[in-house]
C-alpha cells in the first residue's frame, strides 16, 4: 500500500507591488529568500520580525523552514508579502491557526498602493500653486 503524500504547504502573499511565493518545509529548518539566507536578505530587525511573525504567533519557528521567491516592491513591502504568504502556507499545516492569523490581520491583503498622477496636477492630488495676480 502506498503512503499518502502530504500536501505541499504553499502560500502567495502580496503587498503593494511585491509578490512572495512561500513554500514551508517540515524536514529542513533552513530559511531561504531568493536563494540567500534569510538574515542576509532581510537585514533590519523590523523586516525580519514582520516576515517571521506568523511563526512567532503560532510558536512554531523551530518546527518549520521555508523557501521564498519574492520580487517587486521595496524590502519592507517584500517582508509584508512574505508574512502573508507564510501565514497562508501554515494554514495547510493546521487550519486551527486561522483565528490567530485573522485576529492579527495576516490573511488580509493590504490593498493600499500609490495613487497615479492626474493630468493638470503636480502629483496625484497636488494642484499647481494659485496666483491671484
Amino acid at each position: 500500500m502506498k503512503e499518502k503524500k502530504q500536501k505541499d504547504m504553499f502560500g502567495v502573499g502580496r503587498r503593494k507591488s511585491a509578490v512572495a511565493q512561500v513554500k514551508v518545509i517540515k524536514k529542513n529548518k533552513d530559511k531561504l529568500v531568493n536563494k540567500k539566507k534569510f538574515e542576509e536578505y532581510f537585514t533590519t530587525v523590523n523586516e525580519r520580525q514582520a516576515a517571521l511573525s506568523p511563526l512567532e504567533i503560532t510558536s512554531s519557528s523551530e518546527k518549520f523552514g521555508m523557501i521564498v521567491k519574492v520580487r517587486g516592491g521595496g524590502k519592507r513591502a517584500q517582508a509584508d508579502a512574505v508574512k502573508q504568504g507564510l501565514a497562508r502556507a501554515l494554514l495547510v499545516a493546521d487550519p486551527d491557526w486561522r483565528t490567530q492569523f485573522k485576529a492579527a490581520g495576516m490573511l488580509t491583503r493590504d490593498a493600499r498602493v500609490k495613487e497615479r498622477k492626474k493630468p493638470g496636477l503636480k502629483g496625484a492630488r497636488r494642484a499647481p500653486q494659485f496666483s491671484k495676480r
Side-chain angles (χ1 to χ4, degrees):
M1 209 171 175
K2 288 184 180 178
E3 278 187 45
K4 192 174 184 181
K5 188 179 178 187
Q6 186 184 8
K7 243 192 318 187
D8 282 341
M9 293 185 285
F10 184 79
V12 176
R14 293 181 180 89
R15 172 72 174 103
K16 289 190 174 182
S17 61
V19 180
Q21 298 172 325
V22 181
K23 186 175 183 180
V24 176
I25 306 161
K26 272 191 177 178
K27 298 172 195 168
N28 193 352
K29 307 300 183 247
D30 292 338
K31 293 170 177 59
L32 298 175
V33 180
N34 289 351
K35 298 181 182 177
K36 291 182 181 178
K37 288 186 179 177
F38 182 80
E39 290 78 18
E40 285 178 29
Y41 194 81
F42 292 119
T43 52
T44 67
V45 175
N46 290 336
E47 292 166 356
R48 290 179 194 166
Q49 285 177 341
L52 294 179
S53 55
L55 290 174
E56 291 169 13
I57 283 181
T58 58
S59 303
S60 58
S61 57
E62 301 301 317
K63 296 177 189 173
F64 300 108
M66 63 181 183
I67 297 173
V68 181
K69 287 182 192 173
V70 64
R71 62 190 177 279
K75 286 285 174 133
R76 181 58 201 216
Q78 288 182 349
D80 286 342
V82 169
K83 174 174 68 173
Q84 186 185 29
L86 183 57
R88 287 179 174 180
L90 288 173
L91 284 180
V92 176
D94 190 356
D96 297 335
W97 288 337
R98 185 172 191 83
T99 53
Q100 291 174 296
F101 291 149
K102 278 293 240 188
M106 293 182 184
L107 299 176
T108 306
R109 160 85 158 91
D110 191 350
R112 295 176 297 170
V113 293
K114 187 175 179 179
E115 195 174 332
R116 78 173 198 84
K117 183 194 175 301
K118 313 296 188 310
L121 300 179
K122 298 276 186 188
R125 298 181 182 206
R126 166 91 167 92
Q129 189 171 3
F130 173 75
S131 174
K132 202 170 229 177
R133 283 170 198 88

